[in-house]
């Protein structure tokens, strides 16, 4: 549990109304799963982030930076630490010619639609991705042939010492669902995109086409964290999972989607442990049958043995 002294110290950096204790994390993840966090803070700017991080590091209290929770599984017992959310209160989007500068809490969909409104092409792929641009740039999010590395020119971060740094595209070391930030004590606060002029109707048509594909092929009617596993080299995770006999396989309320075996969905009453057990069973059987190690895209929060 977080002590009263820690909470009182945090209230010096962040407005009291932005701090909640024992906040259920099920309301902050797209899985709609997760127990309470000791302390949940909605950040409004970089200064609040720097001060909160510096203080928590100094006193040794664990913390986790949260965006939209679109690839996160929180333990049923919750999180013994502080959640620092960069969300709607840090979501300003500014369009400057062919550039878009977005605060890290803006969603990928919001930025894609801002591009559409200004006749800018290049972000159509992002229109259906539920995560924030902060989380998206960390994992080099992508879909249907597009990814963040193709359109991001600058990423502003706060490092472990509270310094603000700017990382260009090359410095980001983008790879498949990864970037340099995955191995660094950096928190993204702003992302700059460089796009091209395009025809608004053609952009809208492309976004509509991709949206239709998502609805057709993905189980959007259920809570999930999107693709559960990264694509293994030379294979497709969903195909391996299907061929291993997991289509429709269920543990508790967690089920391998009948529509797309790369998705684990919450049928309504799933626990985090249901999802974790299902992931472990899939990885075990795919390894035995195909000698392929499946790596999760899902981030596990609250466990020590993942």
């Amino acid at each position: 549990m977080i002590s009263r002294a820690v909470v009182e110290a945090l209230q010096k950096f962040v407005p009291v109304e932005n701090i909640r204790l024992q906040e259920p994390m099920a309301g902050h993840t797209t899985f709609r799963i997760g127990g309470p966090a000791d302390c949940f803070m909605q950040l409004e700017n970089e200064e609040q982030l720097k001060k909160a991080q510096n203080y928590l590091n100094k006193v040794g209290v664990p913390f986790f930076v949260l965006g939209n929770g679109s690839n996160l599984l929180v333990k049923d017992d919750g999180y013994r630490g502080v959640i620092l959310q960069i969300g709607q209160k840090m979501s300003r989007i500014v369009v400057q010619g062919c550039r878009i500068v977005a605060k890290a809490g803006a969603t990928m969909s919001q930025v894609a639609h801002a591009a559409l409104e200004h006749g800018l092409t290049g972000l159509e792929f992002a229109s259906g991705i539920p995560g924030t641009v902060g989380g998206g740039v960390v994992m080099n999010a992508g879909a249907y042939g597009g990814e963040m590395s193709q359109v991001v020119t600058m990423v502003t971060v706060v490092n472990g010492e509270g310094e603000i740094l700017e990382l260009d595209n090359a410095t980001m070391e983008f790879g498949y669902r990864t970037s340099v930030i995955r191995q660094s004590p950096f928190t993204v606060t702003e992302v700059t995109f460089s796009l091209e002029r395009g025809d608004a109707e053609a952009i809208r048509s492309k976004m509509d086409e991709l949206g239709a594909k998502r609805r057709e092929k993905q189980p959007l009617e259920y809570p999930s964290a999107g693709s559960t596993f990264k694509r293994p080299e030379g294979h497709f995770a969903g195909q391996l999972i299907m061929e291993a006999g997991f289509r429709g396989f269920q543990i508790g309320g967690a089920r391998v989607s009948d529509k797309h075996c790369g998705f684990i969905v919450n049928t309504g009453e799933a626990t985090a442990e249901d999802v974790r057990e299902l992931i472990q069973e899939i990885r075990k059987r795919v390894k035995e049958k195909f000698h392929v190690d499946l790596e999760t895209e899902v981030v596990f929060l609250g466990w020590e043995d993942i």
Side-chain angles (χ1 to χ4, degrees):
M1 295 290 292
I2 299 295
S3 71
R4 178 174 295 275
V6 168
V7 174
E8 290 176 351
L10 292 171
Q11 289 173 349
K12 297 176 182 178
F13 313 137
V14 178
V16 173
E17 61 268 24
N18 291 355
I19 300 177
R20 298 198 287 274
L21 303 181
Q22 295 301 304
E23 176 72 5
M25 291 302 294
H28 300 285
T29 72
T30 57
F31 252 137
R32 298 292 177 256
I33 295 172
D38 284 349
C39 181
F40 184 93
M41 301 172 58
Q42 294 175 302
L43 303 178
E44 297 177 346
N45 52 55
E46 290 175 342
E47 279 304 306
Q48 291 180 5
L49 171 66
K50 289 195 296 183
K51 290 176 179 178
Q53 284 191 161
N54 287 344
Y55 172 76
L56 293 170
N57 281 326
K58 181 178 179 180
V59 297
V61 173
F63 63 88
F64 180 83
V65 179
L66 174 74
N68 199 41
S70 60
N71 69 334
L72 185 66
L73 182 68
V74 182
K75 193 174 182 180
D76 298 311
D77 293 341
Y79 178 63
R80 305 285 72 80
V82 178
I83 299 291
L84 302 176
Q85 187 191 42
I86 297 179
Q88 291 184 353
K89 294 181 183 294
M90 287 182 67
S91 61
R92 184 168 60 96
I93 300 170
V94 177
V95 180
Q96 304 168 334
C98 289
R99 292 197 319 155
I100 294 181
V101 181
K103 290 298 183 183
T107 66
M108 300 278 283
S109 178
Q110 287 172 334
V111 178
H113 281 85
L116 167 64
E117 290 173 9
H118 290 81
L120 299 176
T121 183
L123 272 171
E124 291 87 339
F125 75 90
S127 60
I129 297 176
T132 61
V133 297
V137 81
V138 170
M139 67 174 293
N140 190 21
Y144 299 109
E147 60 183 20
M148 295 289 271
S149 64
Q150 299 167 356
V151 290
V152 170
T153 55
M154 191 70 66
V155 178
T156 303
V157 302
V158 173
N159 69 11
E161 287 71 51
E163 301 170 317
I164 296 176
L165 306 175
E166 291 188 337
L167 312 179
D168 62 17
N169 186 285
T171 306
M172 283 294 296
E173 298 180 10
F174 285 117
Y176 174 66
R177 299 297 176 264
T178 190
S179 72
V180 70
I181 298 177
R182 283 243 163 161
Q183 293 81 39
S184 307
F186 296 158
T187 300
V188 177
T189 60
E190 188 174 270
V191 179
T192 300
F193 300 87
S194 180
L195 305 174
E196 296 180 358
R197 293 288 179 192
D199 177 76
E201 285 307 311
I203 296 167
R204 187 186 304 276
S205 177
K206 183 65 174 180
M207 290 168 62
D208 289 344
E209 176 191 340
L210 296 181
K213 285 184 178 180
R214 284 188 174 91
R215 290 189 294 274
E216 177 188 356
K217 298 181 182 299
Q218 299 179 10
L220 303 182
E221 65 273 24
Y222 291 104
S224 78
S227 296
T228 306
F229 300 97
K230 295 180 181 179
R231 184 179 67 242
E233 187 173 354
H235 301 275
F236 291 100
Q239 183 75 18
L240 293 175
I241 294 166
M242 181 181 69
E243 292 179 359
F246 278 104
R247 184 187 292 277
F249 187 85
Q250 191 161 332
I251 293 179
R255 180 182 180 91
V256 175
S257 169
D258 298 86
K259 185 181 287 188
H260 190 315
C261 291
F263 286 66
I264 290 176
V265 300
N266 175 5
T267 61
E269 300 294 333
T271 66
E273 193 58 34
D274 291 341
V275 176
R276 188 174 82 138
E277 287 183 18
L278 183 51
I279 286 173
Q280 290 175 328
E281 185 63 26
I282 290 169
R283 294 182 70 183
K284 176 184 176 183
R285 196 181 303 178
V286 167
K287 175 69 170 178
E288 291 173 349
K289 189 174 180 67
F290 302 109
H291 309 290
V292 174
D293 289 307
L294 289 179
E295 183 180 354
T296 61
E297 285 194 20
V298 174
V299 175
F300 297 84
L301 184 63
W303 285 275
E304 297 179 355
D305 58 342
I306 293 294

